[in-house]
């Protein structure tokens, strides 16, 4: 005679085990999907690398050298030593055709077991006291805490990152591929933006400044701003440069590897300059005060010129878990390898 209690217990255990198996299968499926996405990201990071053949060029505001167009005058106003035109020689390297996107950066964070770096909850009274509110207000931070159609943090827009986070992302790609990924140097960025050092004033498809066609117009920026307060665009929204690089001059600032020194051009080495060996410049307020070079921007026109350089300080104490500041700065990775990757 069958024991009914035993039968019921056995069936119950079977159901529970079935539930557990379904749960395990769901977790395994999620893990497999994540690993597949990560593998695709790593492959794509190599495919998206544009080989830049090395060479020599005159770095800085080349206006006096471009006499037919300028009559020997400088193009820009001369901020941060750009009128110190100097010869630079670069080895060949590769540069990503796209900026790092939120999609790719957050996928990387998942692979590292890290969560959302923008949670509104971490803005404590102590951080506000230390100047946090001078950098971001809670409304903007809340928008970055989510990924919705109304949020500027959309999948294919450039990720806003501290310098350390951008460098860590590039180095992680290097670990996955066995290739020497890093942020580009300032010289590498300018050489590429100028189509291997030519006298190219704007890093667009034709070297011209044509809002609405090869870069966003004021009206287009306003439309984007209404979406979520940030007027960045999905990467690749406008035509590429002749080398095949997108958004080199307008989709927000881009970090490069170099420490900032306004006088660096006066003593920069000719061969593959790396910037100052250590932090040398402080603006005297907020965080460390020490600054890295940033390149590119959007408006006004003079900030988009291929030779224009400026700075952005490293904000507060960096931790990879939660970003302790608000940055309108993104990045793209380089590979310091003198042969094409594709």
């Amino acid at each position: 005679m069958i024991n009914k209690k035993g039968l019921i217990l056995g069936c119950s255990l079977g159901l529970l085990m079935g539930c557990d198996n379904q749960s395990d299968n769901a977790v395994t499926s999620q893990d497999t999907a994540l690993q597949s996405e990560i593998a695709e990201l790593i492959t794509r990071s190599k495919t998206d690398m544009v080989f830049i053949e090395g060479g020599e060029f005159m770095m800085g505001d080349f206006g006096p050298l471009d006499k037919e167009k300028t009559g020997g005058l400088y193009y820009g106003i001369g901020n941060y030593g750009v009128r110190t035109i100097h010869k630079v020689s670069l080895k060949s390297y590769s540069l990503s055709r796209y900026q790092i996107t939120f999609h790719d950066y957050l996928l990387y964070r998942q692979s590292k077991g890290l969560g959302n770096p923008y949670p509104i909850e971490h803005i404590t009274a102590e951080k506000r006291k230390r100047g946090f509110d001078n950098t971001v207000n809670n409304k903007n931070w809340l928008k970055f805490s989510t990924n919705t159609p109304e949020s500027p943090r959309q999948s294919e827009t450039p990720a806003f990152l501290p310098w350390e986070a951008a460098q860590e992302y590039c180095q992680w790609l290097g670990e996955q591929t066995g290739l020497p990924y890093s942020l580009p140097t300032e010289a590498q960025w300018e050489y590429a933006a100028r189509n291997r050092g030519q006298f190219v004033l704007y890093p667009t498809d034709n070297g011209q400044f044509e809002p609405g066609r090869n870069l966003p117009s004021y009206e287009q920026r306003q439309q984007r701003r209404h979406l979520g307060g940030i007027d960045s665009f999905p990467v690749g929204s406008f035509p590429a440069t002749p080398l095949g690089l997108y958004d080199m001059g307008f989709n927000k600032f881009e970090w490069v590897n170099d420490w900032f020194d306004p006088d660096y051009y006066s003593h920069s080495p000719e061969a593959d300059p790396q910037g100052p060996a250590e932090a040398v410049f402080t603006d005297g307020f907020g965080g460390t005060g020490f600054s890295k070079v940033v390149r590119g921007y959007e408006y006004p026109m003079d900030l988009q010129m291929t030779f224009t350089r400026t700075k952005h300080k490293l904000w507060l104490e960096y931790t990879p878990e939660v970003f302790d500041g608000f940055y309108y700065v993104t990045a793209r990775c380089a590979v310091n390898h003198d042969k094409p990757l594709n």
Side-chain angles (χ1 to χ4, degrees), residues 80 258-262 276 279-281 291-293 309-311:
Y80 304 129
D258 307 40
W259 287 108
F260 177 78
D261 178 355
V280 296
F281 181 85
S291 298
K292 289 283 187 176
V293 176
R309 68 195 303 247
T310 187
K311 59 185 172 62

Side-chain angles (χ1 to χ4, degrees), residues 141-192:
W141 196 266
L142 182 59
K143 290 175 181 176
F144 272 83
S145 299
T146 57
N147 185 9
T148 67
E150 294 76 29
S151 169
R153 201 196 84 188
Q154 295 167 8
S155 292
E156 299 307 319
T157 54
F160 295 158
L161 304 170
W163 181 89
E164 297 92 338
Q167 183 72 304
E168 287 172 353
Y169 173 82
C170 294
Q171 290 173 343
W172 173 77
L173 287 175
E175 293 169 1
Q176 305 306 309
T177 60
L179 293 167
Y181 276 74
S182 71
L183 291 175
T185 65
E186 182 180 14
Q188 288 175 331
W189 196 99
E190 181 172 326
Y191 182 72

Side-chain angles (χ1 to χ4, degrees), residues 227-286:
L227 286 177
I230 306 297
D231 56 0
S232 54
F233 287 75
V235 299
S237 294
F238 293 86
T241 70
L243 291 182
L245 303 168
Y246 289 89
D247 311 316
M248 288 289 283
F250 62 82
N251 219 13
K252 301 306 178 188
F253 284 124
E254 292 186 23
W255 294 111
V256 295
N257 198 50
D258 307 40
W259 287 108
F260 177 78
D261 178 355
D263 301 319
Y264 181 69
Y265 284 11
S266 65
H267 53 84
S268 168
E270 178 181 325
D272 290 298
Q274 303 294 306
E278 58 185 17
V280 296
F281 181 85
T282 176
D283 51 23
F285 63 90

Side-chain angles (χ1 to χ4, degrees), residues 94-132:
S94 294
L95 187 64
S96 178
R97 69 178 70 250
Y98 299 114
Q99 297 162 320
I100 301 167
T101 65
F102 273 113
H103 173 274
D104 291 351
Y105 181 68
L106 294 175
L107 185 58
Y108 149 75
R109 289 184 67 87
Q110 280 184 275
S111 78
K112 305 285 284 185
L114 297 170
N116 176 17
Y118 307 103
I120 189 74
E121 297 82 7
H122 93 287
I123 307 179
T124 64
E126 178 61 24
K127 285 170 185 169
R128 281 192 282 271
K129 182 179 178 182
R130 292 158 62 194
F132 195 87

Side-chain angles (χ1 to χ4, degrees), residues 194-209:
R194 288 172 49 185
N195 302 329
R196 298 186 58 242
Q198 299 178 56
F199 294 160
V200 175
L201 193 56
Y202 295 105
T204 59
D205 59 334
N206 60 2
Q208 302 297 312
F209 188 88

